[in-house]
Structure formats: structure tokens, C-alpha cells
Amino acid sequence: MAALVTLRNVKKSYVRGKQKVEVLHGVDLEVEAGEFTALMGPSGSGKTTMLNLMAGLDQPTSGEVIVGTDRIDKLSRSALTDWRARNIGFIFQFYNLLPVLTAEANVEVPLLLTTLSRSQRRQRVQTALQLVGLADRAKHKPNELSGGQQQRVAIARAIVSDPTLLVCDEPTGDLDRENAEEIMNLLKALNRSQGKTIVMVTHDPRAAEYATRELHLDKGRLSREEVRHVA
Amino acid sequence: MKYFGLIWAGLWRKKARTIFTMLSIVVAFLLFGLLQGINQGFNQAVQNLNLDRLYVSAKSDMTDGLPIAYLERIKAVPGVRAVSYWSYFGGYYQNSNNALPAFATDAEQLFKVYREIKVNPEYIEAMQRTRTGALVSDQLAKQYGWKVGDRIPVGTSIWTNKEGSNTWYFDIVGTFDLSAFGAGFPSFYLNHAYFKEAAAFGDGVVHYYLVGLDKPTLATQVSKQIDTMFENSSYETRTQTESALFQMQMKQIGDINFIANAIVGAVLFTLLFLTANTMMQSVRERTSELAVLKTLGFSDTKVLALVLVEALLLCVFAAAMGLFLASLVFPALKPIFGDFKMPLVVVGFGAGMALVLALVSGLPPAWRARQLNIVDALAGR
Ligand SMILES: Nc1ncnc2c1ncn2[C@@H]1O[C@H](COP(=O)(O)OP(=O)(O)OP(=O)(O)O)[C@@H](O)[C@H]1O
Ligand SMILES: [Mg+2]
């Protein structure tokens, strides 16, 4: 099976003042469609940086980034923006919902960029909210929802436009145990029953257990890998 | 416009602040609308004045008056179409608080000079038949409840009559429509012949001769001719056009044009900073929200447009409110300026200013939003 995400000798460095700091020192990686990958590693090891590269939020200093059939490291800034809208669903640690919009309006935001009609958008939003179990909270604003509920709205927003790849940066980082488990079960269900490919950065070994594969990043290099065979 | 909900919600993210900013804009544009409207009203009033009318008064001081004997000599000047005159009578009705703009005149000739005044010819005839007759404006008649046929007492502290009384009696013989003129225009006319005869003194002194010309182009020539005619006599004259007279009176109120522009300029300048500050603050607060929009696939240009349209919505809506409120005030100014509406040019200029305000206050934060780097903004850098 062909890989969905391929990183080839990817290097990324940042320039701070006069100093150039290399964060990723030539990462090689393949993620196959349908995999649920957990990316772990100490703080500052470059996990977010790597995730951003796969998601087309940032460009590598050198190396190739291929997602599906697209060489996204070759795309222009504006082409990359369009590409993200079509291919990537994002889930962040702090949910990053728009506080002024209701849950359903938040979920609708990615669909505003499509050619779907108003009623088609409604339909999709409804389905996504049902999938995360929040259909009854559609009219609530984020500050009227718990952290776990907000993250579920964020998940609905991430899947509403049916992206190729879901990227999550510490999705349970701001949640208590119970809520974290709920979110992880939801992601697992999306992976197992909907076949969503997920790459998730996490510090939490318990969260990583839900993944089918575990990668470790250390000082900008992939150090070891475990493949789990879960049902 | 599917992005409207997004923009609208963004606009109201801090309700109190948006309302405060909006109110400031409303008040500023209300002020602008009123001042510029009044200013335009004055200019228009000056332009609407008839250039084919001249006013002849005593050169030394209007209150000195001129002899009634000048009438025939002025009439004889070539280019003069009609001549009437005003002798100030003043007076009051019932008590001295109800001052009357009463003038002794030759009403028939007066209506020939002021062809804008609408009057029933029968009333003019009645006036000529009735020595003690009086013609009053519709508005004045309404104000005091006078009807044709009423005999009314008019008190005066100046003109004692030959019976030694300070109360005169006049018979209302007709009314006229004065709506072409603003407040302050004489609206109570009595027969000059009666005034001259019945007043204990004054010999029918005339304060203004009102000269109607054949055509406006004659104004300079005829006024020179009249003044030359009475030069070196014991009553020298000064002849002015209507607009010169009006402008002279307005100068006493001050340079309205300048004041209006200065106030409006200062207010708008302040407003610019206020609005720009609101917009900048609002964009700063939602750095991460804008970054999320970009993450989800909103292009830099789209994000710029969202912020700019938000500023436009705020400014244009509030400015429209302000101008609308100003236009509501205008009918109340009708007694001062006569027929008067919010001039379209003021509305147009106001709209232009609202756009400039929106662009100048919205562009810096919109540009900032456009330039926002996603990765840095998400990481809180
Ligand atoms: N835009 C940037 N400019 C400068 N330095 C950066 C930038 N982005 C990341 N870095 C640096 O790169 C290194 C890796 O950052 P990254 O955010 O990828 O780490 P991480 O593994 O996600 O850490 P954490 O677990 O704390 O989120 C850090 O030292 C960070 O300071
Ligand atoms: Mg990170």
C-alpha cells in the first residue's frame, strides 16, 4: 500500500536573530492511510514542527513532504492554503474555537470555503455534531461548554469537510483523565470505523495507547518506533 | 454573503466597546450633517436670493429713514419695474411679549416686487378699500387665531396716534402665503397712507424702498443711478442687492462656513484615532482566532477583507444613522430657513467620509491580520 504521508530527509531550521537553529535534522517517515500514529518526545524535540510540516502550515528548509500525490513542499503559500482547506483537519490543545460563534457556526467555518449550499452545509454540520455526540449543544457558545465538549466541537470542525488527514497537537493536553479518555475514544472510533488517518502529538503515554503506531522524536531525530496491533 | 455571520460576530465580540465606538461615530456624523447642512442651507439661500431686487435705505443709518417723496423719483429710473417700501411699525398683540413684524407699506406694489408671495387678488382689493385694513401671513393668522373680518388691537411703544393713544385698531382683510421666505420676513402689512395720516409724528418716514428690476443684469447700474440721484441731498441713500443685504446680516452671526468646517474637522480627526484604536485592539485580541482561520484555509487576502469589511460595517452603519438623525432635525429648521431639506451633497460627502474613516482605521489592523504568521501566532510567539 502506498504511503499517505512521506517525509524524505526533511530538515527544518529557524533563524533567531543571527543564530540559525536546526530543529529537525533529516527526518524520514512514511504514514500509511488508515494509520493512527502517536508522535511522542520531550518538550522542544520538534514534534509540533514536524506536524506543521505534514499539515502544510509550514515549509521545510530542505527535503520532501508528500501527502497523497502532492509535493506540498513545492506549493506556493496561497496554493498551500487552499490545499489545507481540502486535505487537513486540525485539532489543537486549546480547542481554538471562535468564542463569538455558536458550536454549529464554528463547525461550519471550514465549509464556508467550499461551494456547498447553505442547506448542504447545515446537513454536514448536523452530521458532524451528531458524530461527536453534541447535536443537542449546537446553539451553545464555547464558553457555555466544558473543555471536553469544546474539544469535541473542535473535532467536529476538523472532520466536517472530510479531510484526508487529521492532525492533532496534544488534543488531551488540557483535559482531565475522564474527558481525555472520551476524546481518545472518539478519535479511535474515527480511525477504526471511519478509516481516518490520524497523526497525533502527545505527551501522555495513556493517550498514545489508543494509536496503532508510536513514534519517538528526540532532538529532531526519530529515535524509535513501536507498532501495536490493536483491534 | 456567507461570511456575514462571521464578520457580524467579530464586530460584536466586545459589545460595550462596539456600542461606544458606534455612538461616537453617530454623534460625529449627526454634528457633521447638521453643521454642513445648515452651512449649505445658507449658501443655497444666498444663491436663491433674487438679484432683481434692490433695497434703498438711508446712507447714514437705516433707522434714519427716507422721505416718502422719493417714491416717484425712484420709480422714474429706467429699468425699474415696481417700487414699494417698508416703514417699520413694530407693535405687539395683547402684550409686549407678542411682538409683531408689522410694516406700513403699499401692499399692491409690494406683491409686485415680491412675486414669490402668494396672495388672493381679492384681498389686495379689500386692502385698498379699507383704510384700517391689514394683511397678515397664514402663519401669523394661525398663531393668534385671526380670521378675515376680525378687528384687532395692536399696541405700540413708538407710534402714538393723533388721538394720543398707543393702541391702534386694524381690520384683517386677508391673508397671504409666505412659505417661500424664512422667519423674520415681514408678515403684517398695514396701509402706509393710513399710517402717515394717523401717526402723531414721523410724516410717513420710509425705512426701505424695495425696488423690483426688469432684469437682474441692471442691478449695479440702477443702484448706482439711485444713489447718485440723491447724492448731496439731505437724505443720501445706500442701495444694495438682496444677497448683499443678506450676507451682511449673516456676517454678524460669524463665518459659519469656517466654524462648521473647523468643528467637523476636529471631531473627525478625533474619531479617526478612536476608531483606529478600537479596530487595532480588536484585531490584537484575536490574533490566535485569525491564525485559526488561516489554518483552516482562509487566504491572507480573505482575512484582510474580513477585518476591512468589519470596519466598513461599523463606520458606514453608524455614519448613516448619524446623517439620518440629522435629516430628522432639518424640518425643525424650516421656520429659520424657509423650505429646507438635508442637501444631497452633504449626504454624499458624508458617505465618502465614512468610507475614508473605515479604510484609514481598518487598513492597519487588516494588514496586520494579513501578515500574521500562522505557526508563530498558534505558538503564541
Ligand atoms: N518559529 C520558530 N522560531 C524559532 N524557533 C522555533 C520556532 N518554532 C519552533 N522553534 C523552536 O524549535 C524547537 C522545537 O519546537 P516545537 O514546537 O516543534 O517543539 P515540541 O516538540 O512541539 O515541544 P512541546 O512539547 O513543548 O510543544 C524549540 O526549541 C522551539 O523553540
Ligand atoms: Mg508542541
Side-chain angles (χ1 to χ4, degrees):
Chain A
M1 195 151 93
L4 179 67
V5 182
T6 307
L7 303 189
R8 261 190 217 128
N9 196 20
V10 165
K11 294 181 181 173
K12 177 69 184 176
S13 39
Y14 291 106
V15 182
R16 268 285 122 111
K18 281 181 190 149
Q19 222 168 331
K20 192 172 151 186
V21 185
E22 192 166 83
V23 178
L24 297 178
H25 314 288
V27 172
D28 288 294
L29 173 69
E30 292 197 345
V31 176
E32 282 179 14
E35 271 189 318
F36 185 170
T37 307
L39 183 56
M40 303 192 63
S43 187
S45 56
K47 303 183 295 295
T48 297
T49 304
M50 198 169 133
L51 197 70
N52 287 346
L53 292 176
M54 284 184 225
L57 281 177
D58 209 353
Q59 297 282 35
T61 312
S62 67
E64 295 174 15
V65 182
I66 304 154
V67 179
T69 53
D70 302 312
R71 271 289 297 271
I72 63 170
D73 59 293
K74 294 277 185 218
L75 292 180
S76 72
R77 205 178 142 83
S78 68
L80 201 55
T81 302
D82 290 340
W83 179 86
R84 276 200 308 275
R86 276 181 283 111
N87 293 286
I88 306 290
F90 291 89
I91 298 159
F92 307 93
Q93 178 177 0
F94 299 108
Y95 333 128
N96 281 350
L97 299 173
L98 302 185
V100 289
L101 298 182
T102 60
E104 62 180 1
N106 263 291
V107 176
E108 193 190 7
V109 170
L111 298 182
L112 296 177
L113 296 165
T114 66
T115 54
L116 294 177
S117 74
R118 201 182 155 82
S119 62
Q120 285 172 315
R121 296 202 301 268
R122 277 258 168 85
Q123 187 72 49
R124 291 256 208 134
V125 168
Q126 207 55 36
T127 309
L129 280 173
Q130 259 155 18
L131 209 66
V132 300
L134 277 181
D136 55 332
R137 298 298 162 96
K139 305 285 183 200
H140 289 237
K141 294 258 178 77
N143 61 8
E144 299 159 354
L145 298 170
S146 74
Q149 289 172 327
Q150 288 188 55
Q151 192 62 300
R152 283 196 275 160
V153 174
I155 292 173
R157 178 178 68 183
I159 58 174
V160 75
S161 52
D162 197 20
T164 334
L165 177 66
L166 277 185
V167 299
C168 322
D169 199 344
E170 303 188 32
T172 59
D174 201 45
L175 296 175
D176 59 26
R177 171 86 58 82
E178 208 173 318
N179 275 306
E181 270 174 20
E182 221 172 87
I183 293 300
M184 288 317 302
N185 277 319
L186 185 54
L187 288 177
K188 183 174 156 186
L190 286 172
N191 173 248
R192 307 295 198 277
S193 53
Q194 313 266 319
K196 288 281 168 212
T197 311
I198 303 176
V199 178
M200 171 183 74
V201 167
T202 185
H203 275 120
D204 179 6
R206 250 188 291 261
E209 278 171 18
Y210 289 80
T212 55
R213 182 185 182 196
E214 200 175 302
L215 296 172
H216 286 261
L217 196 63
D218 196 8
K219 292 183 185 131
R221 283 179 226 280
L222 284 174
S223 57
R224 79 195 149 84
E225 159 164 13
E226 287 166 32
V227 179
R228 252 187 290 276
H229 294 284
V230 245
Chain B
M1 184 53 182
K2 55 185 171 180
Y3 298 108
F4 184 81
L6 201 57
I7 297 169
W8 188 250
L11 185 59
W12 294 102
R13 73 194 324 277
K14 287 252 165 82
K15 278 200 185 66
R17 184 176 61 199
T18 304
I19 288 173
F20 173 72
T21 308
M22 218 169 225
L23 277 181
S24 315
I25 302 177
V26 168
V27 169
F29 274 80
L30 171 64
L31 197 65
F32 163 80
L34 283 181
L35 286 174
Q36 288 302 323
I38 289 171
N39 193 15
Q40 293 285 329
F42 272 120
N43 293 344
Q44 214 172 332
V46 171
Q47 271 165 21
N48 283 350
L49 292 174
N50 259 308
L51 286 173
D52 68 354
R53 270 199 290 265
L54 298 177
Y55 290 74
V56 186
S57 60
K59 188 178 182 183
S60 47
D61 190 324
M62 181 273 281
T63 56
D64 290 346
L66 296 167
I68 185 69
Y70 278 13
L71 178 63
E72 293 307 319
R73 294 180 64 188
I74 294 173
K75 230 184 235 174
V77 174
V80 171
R81 178 175 55 78
V83 184
S84 189
Y85 42 83
W86 272 329
S87 298
Y88 178 70
F89 186 81
Y92 53 86
Y93 178 60
Q94 287 170 334
N95 69 64
S96 56
N97 290 332
N98 299 330
L100 294 175
F103 287 79
T105 183
D106 174 349
E108 191 219 358
Q109 290 301 310
L110 187 77
F111 292 125
K112 284 186 179 159
V113 177
Y114 290 103
R115 286 176 290 197
E116 302 97 312
I117 305 178
K118 285 175 230 145
V119 62
N120 186 335
E122 282 174 30
Y123 291 156
I124 301 178
E125 281 168 31
M127 185 69 170
Q128 286 170 319
R129 280 198 308 269
T130 317
R131 287 180 68 69
T132 57
L135 290 171
V136 299
S137 71
D138 295 325
Q139 210 194 336
L140 201 62
K142 201 172 137 206
Q143 186 180 344
Y144 293 117
W146 298 334
K147 281 179 290 299
V148 172
D150 285 357
R151 162 163 278 238
I152 57 152
V154 172
T156 163
S157 51
I158 314 170
W159 302 108
T160 312
N161 62 27
K162 282 189 174 144
E163 287 145 28
S165 167
N166 277 336
T167 303
W168 297 54
Y169 286 88
F170 295 106
D171 297 297
I172 308 284
V173 297
T175 58
F176 50 85
D177 177 0
L178 203 56
S179 57
F181 294 93
F185 195 89
S187 57
F188 187 112
Y189 306 153
L190 46 125
N191 278 315
H192 187 267
Y194 175 56
F195 164 69
K196 180 173 188 284
E197 193 183 281
F201 60 93
D203 196 25
V205 59
V206 165
H207 296 109
Y208 273 111
Y209 280 102
L210 319 163
V211 181
L213 300 173
D214 286 332
K215 39 182 197 233
T217 45
L218 296 170
T220 321
Q221 183 195 324
V222 172
S223 48
K224 215 174 261 166
Q225 212 169 333
I226 293 173
D227 288 344
T228 314
M229 191 159 65
F230 299 115
E231 222 168 340
N232 300 322
S233 75
S234 36
Y235 297 98
E236 291 193 315
T237 60
R238 177 163 62 167
T239 305
Q240 289 173 290
T241 61
E242 193 164 89
S243 57
L245 188 73
F246 184 79
Q247 276 169 331
M248 199 183 68
Q249 287 167 356
M250 282 308 137
K251 272 279 180 290
Q252 294 162 356
I253 303 178
D255 196 337
I256 292 162
N257 209 358
F258 174 76
I259 295 172
N261 286 334
I263 294 179
V264 165
V267 168
L268 284 177
F269 193 68
T270 315
L271 197 62
L272 202 62
F273 282 103
L274 187 85
T275 314
N277 187 46
T278 301
M279 286 305 301
M280 192 49 110
Q281 225 174 317
S282 150
V283 163
R284 267 209 198 104
E285 279 166 11
R286 58 187 144 151
T287 301
S288 72
E289 292 171 40
L290 293 169
V292 168
L293 286 179
K294 287 189 174 188
T295 302
L296 297 181
F298 281 67
S299 66
D300 293 344
T301 317
K302 230 169 215 153
V303 170
L304 174 128
L306 287 180
V307 175
L308 211 52
V309 171
E310 190 179 314
L312 267 174
L313 218 58
L314 174 75
C315 295
V316 172
F317 175 73
M321 278 285 289
L323 290 176
F324 173 71
L325 288 179
S327 77
L328 288 187
V329 176
F330 272 60
L333 299 175
K334 198 173 167 179
I336 307 173
F337 296 117
D339 246 345
F340 192 40
K341 280 199 286 288
M342 168 76 105
L344 260 169
V345 53
V346 173
V347 176
F349 190 57
M353 251 173 15
L355 281 183
V356 170
L357 182 67
L359 286 181
V360 173
S361 63
L363 254 184
W367 190 255
R368 187 191 156 97
R370 190 201 121 91
Q371 298 300 88
L372 198 69
N373 178 289
I374 302 176
V375 173
D376 285 345
L378 284 179
R381 265 186 289 263

